[in-house]
Amino acid sequence: MRVGTCWLCGQKANLHSSHVIPKFVFRWLINTGGTPFLRAGANPNKRVQDGDRHYLYCSECETTLSTWEQKAKKRLFDAATGSGEIPAKYGSWLSRFACSLALRTVQSQLYRGIENKYDPSSLDLLFKAERSWKQFLTGSSKHPGEYSQYFLHLGYFDGFNDPSLPSNWNTWVKRSVERDTIYTPSGSFLATYVKLGPIIFFGKIRDDKQILGKSFVRCSEGEFPLPDTLLNSATWSLFKDRASSAQKILSAMSEKQKQLVGRQIFKDPEKFLNSGLAEALLQDFEKFGGS
């Protein structure tokens, strides 16, 4: 722990080393990956067993965030990564979980001091969204206002047919874990983006052209709609670009690390062959061949 000011409630306290992406996501990646190690997202030559952690929240706030995480895990994530069928209804917990992901994404960038990548106008919007999300999560407001949260279940896109898809498409859809802020050069769109395997959350900060439209579920209380595969072109391009970027990063793995992975697999080949990772890789091979 480290003494400091909690980034959520603003009280001085002992701060926990908080996960930016919930720990249960990385536990799932390891348990279904066929080997006991993960590869760092931006550096495939580095083995890791967890995601990024920062000293952000006090014990009380950490407990509050954990409560929503566990609800999201049991009611959504486990279904999306298991049977692939998500429950028909959702409650206010989804909005709070999604909001916590958006807040962690922004505060991780502020914690690391990389906010200078934004122009002054976008940075001002970022701080306004952060403030609104904190008020919602601490109970001082009933909703996040204009900075609403959106959800998309990508599971039904794993077998999607498009000749321009990158050859790691199924693996990216089912298993990639990412977080970022995404924006257009014109400044008309700015949002947080968090991908937890086959489910994606967007935290809207600015959306002048309503890119986050009918293909997305707005996180409040209600029912999950039937899948709408007619994503707008901007979203579809984003997903293909993210998958292509993941493929390029992985291709940078050194020969030494590739040999280490191979040796790890051969220690228990049956475990790897029965893993979720092997299943996704096989789907990509069957669809795209060795390309």
Side-chain angles (χ1 to χ4, degrees):
M1 291 190 181
R2 178 183 298 172
V3 176
T5 301
C6 177
W7 286 55
L8 181 53
C9 70
Q11 299 297 312
K12 188 173 183 179
N14 288 321
L15 304 183
H16 287 251
S17 180
S18 305
H19 288 87
V20 181
I21 298 293
K23 185 176 181 179
F24 69 76
V25 177
F26 295 99
R27 190 180 298 121
W28 161 75
L29 279 176
I30 291 175
N31 290 342
T32 60
T35 70
F37 296 101
L38 302 173
R39 294 282 162 176
N43 182 6
N45 293 311
K46 181 180 179 181
R47 297 197 307 186
V48 296
Q49 289 186 294
D50 211 345
D52 288 345
R53 302 172 69 165
H54 307 317
Y55 289 96
L56 295 174
Y57 309 119
C58 66
S59 295
E60 185 174 350
C61 288
E62 189 74 15
T63 298
T64 299
L65 295 175
S66 179
T67 299
W68 297 325
E69 285 182 7
Q70 290 308 308
K71 287 184 179 181
K73 177 183 182 299
K74 293 177 181 178
R75 301 181 187 183
L76 178 61
F77 185 80
D78 287 350
T81 57
S83 65
E85 297 181 4
I86 59 178
K89 294 184 178 182
Y90 59 97
S92 59
W93 55 267
L94 181 62
S95 182
R96 287 175 169 80
F97 174 66
C99 205
S100 73
L101 294 177
L103 183 67
R104 289 172 187 260
T105 299
V106 169
Q107 290 183 334
S108 172
Q109 295 189 355
L110 299 177
Y111 183 92
R112 291 177 289 149
I114 60 174
E115 65 269 23
N116 58 355
K117 74 176 188 177
Y118 302 100
D119 62 72
S121 176
S122 296
L123 187 60
D124 182 59
L125 285 173
L126 203 72
F127 282 125
K128 288 180 179 177
E130 182 203 17
R131 184 163 56 251
S132 178
W133 294 333
K134 286 194 293 186
Q135 290 171 347
F136 175 56
L137 292 175
T138 55
S140 59
S141 65
K142 294 183 179 180
H143 54 77
E146 62 185 292
Y147 306 107
S148 50
Q149 305 297 314
Y150 292 84
F151 161 86
L152 180 67
H153 178 215
L154 269 179
Y156 48 84
F157 285 111
D158 55 0
F160 205 69
N161 188 23
D162 182 332
S164 66
L165 291 177
S167 59
N168 66 327
W169 179 251
N170 295 285
T171 307
W172 179 82
V173 164
K174 289 190 170 184
R175 302 193 57 82
S176 177
V177 174
E178 305 172 347
R179 77 176 193 276
D180 205 350
T181 50
I182 53 177
Y183 50 89
T184 55
S186 66
S188 63
F189 181 82
L190 174 63
T192 60
Y193 160 89
V194 180
K195 184 175 184 298
L196 311 179
I199 54 180
I200 291 180
F201 291 91
F202 288 91
K204 186 184 77 171
I205 300 174
R206 185 170 186 174
D207 189 8
D208 293 346
K209 297 183 179 180
Q210 297 184 325
I211 292 175
L212 299 173
K214 66 178 181 178
S215 297
F216 299 84
V217 177
R218 182 164 178 169
C219 298
S220 55
E221 294 186 57
E223 295 186 359
F224 289 114
L226 292 174
D228 181 358
T229 56
L230 298 177
L231 290 176
N232 57 64
S233 60
T235 306
W236 194 236
S237 295
L238 169 68
F239 291 162
K240 289 192 289 186
D241 287 346
R242 300 294 303 202
S244 295
S245 295
Q247 188 176 44
K248 290 177 182 177
I249 290 173
L250 190 59
S251 67
M253 183 184 293
S254 68
E255 287 301 319
K256 178 181 178 180
Q257 292 300 318
K258 290 178 182 178
Q259 292 173 9
L260 287 174
V261 172
R263 286 199 292 270
Q264 193 67 50
I265 291 173
F266 280 111
K267 285 182 179 179
D268 193 345
E270 185 175 354
K271 179 180 179 181
F272 178 77
L273 291 173
N274 291 323
S275 70
L277 174 58
E279 178 186 11
L281 289 170
L282 180 60
Q283 288 179 332
D284 278 333
F285 182 80
E286 290 176 342
K287 187 176 182 62
F288 303 105
S291 62

